[in-house]
């Protein structure tokens, strides 16, 4: 419940503070803290249930297990979030892309086009100065937002 409420609250708190800059994006991220606390608690509970140690000793036993689990969570999250494909496509990368109209576009109105972005087909809202029928080939002239483009018909 706390992760849903407080997720992201501390992320920008120490931006630009030297050593603390970016700390909450890595070592004190939610997966790392959750892994540490969970394994600390489970290990301490197992130690107290199977032996006759007290809470302080059980915490001392659970802390290394929690640290190892937190470190593994950190390494796994870094591996999963690593960018493998290079730079993410930008809106400007769509300019000049060809596509086809999937929902007719009225003059100075909106319809939909299918274009390829980063090798994948993407359906976007599209605006054109001229009316375009379904199936017409178009070129992307500009981006209006992340989900809308301006297009012109392909002239052959």
């Amino acid at each position: 419940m706390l992760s849903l409420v407080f997720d992201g609250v501390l992320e920008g708190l120490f931006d630009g503070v030297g050593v603390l800059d970016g700390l909450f994006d890595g070592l004190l991220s939610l997966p790392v803290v959750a892994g540490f606390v969970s394994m600390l608690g489970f290990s301490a509970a197992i130690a107290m249930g199977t032996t006759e140690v007290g809470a302080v000793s059980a915490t001392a036993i659970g802390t290394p297990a929690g640290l190892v689990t937190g470190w593994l969570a950190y390494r796994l999250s870094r591996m999963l979030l690593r960018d493998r494909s290079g730079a993410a496509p930008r809106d400007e990368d769509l300019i000049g892309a060809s596509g086809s109209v999937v929902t007719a576009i009225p003059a100075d109105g909106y319809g939909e086009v299918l274009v390829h972005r980063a090798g994948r087909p993407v359906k976007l809202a599209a605006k054109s100065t001229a009316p375009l029928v379904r199936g017409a080939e178009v070129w992307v002239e500009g981006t209006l937002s992340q989900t809308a483009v301006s297009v012109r018909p392909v002239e052959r």
Side-chain angles (χ1 to χ4, degrees), residues 53-121:
V53 297
V56 174
S57 298
T59 302
I61 292 169
T63 299
L67 289 171
V68 169
T69 303
W71 180 80
L72 289 172
Y74 172 74
R75 298 297 298 165
L76 181 63
S77 65
R78 291 294 108 199
M79 183 181 70
L80 291 174
L81 295 175
R82 186 179 320 140
D83 184 17
R84 298 177 191 274
S85 63
R90 300 178 313 247
D91 292 336
E92 297 84 33
D93 294 338
L94 283 174
I95 297 174
S98 64
S100 61
V101 177
V102 292
T103 303
I105 305 172
D108 292 321
Y110 282 92
E112 292 178 319
V113 294
L114 186 66
V115 296
H116 285 80
R117 181 176 190 175
R120 295 187 178 153

Side-chain angles (χ1 to χ4, degrees), residues 11-70:
E11 288 178 7
L13 188 62
F14 295 110
D15 284 348
V17 184
V19 155
L20 298 177
D21 190 22
L23 185 64
F24 291 99
D25 293 337
L27 293 177
L28 293 181
S29 65
L30 181 64
V32 174
V33 172
F36 170 77
V37 171
S38 298
M39 189 53 73
L40 170 72
F42 287 133
S43 299
I46 290 170
M48 288 179 72
T50 57
T51 63
E52 296 188 17
V53 297
V56 174
S57 298
T59 302
I61 292 169
T63 299
L67 289 171
V68 169
T69 303

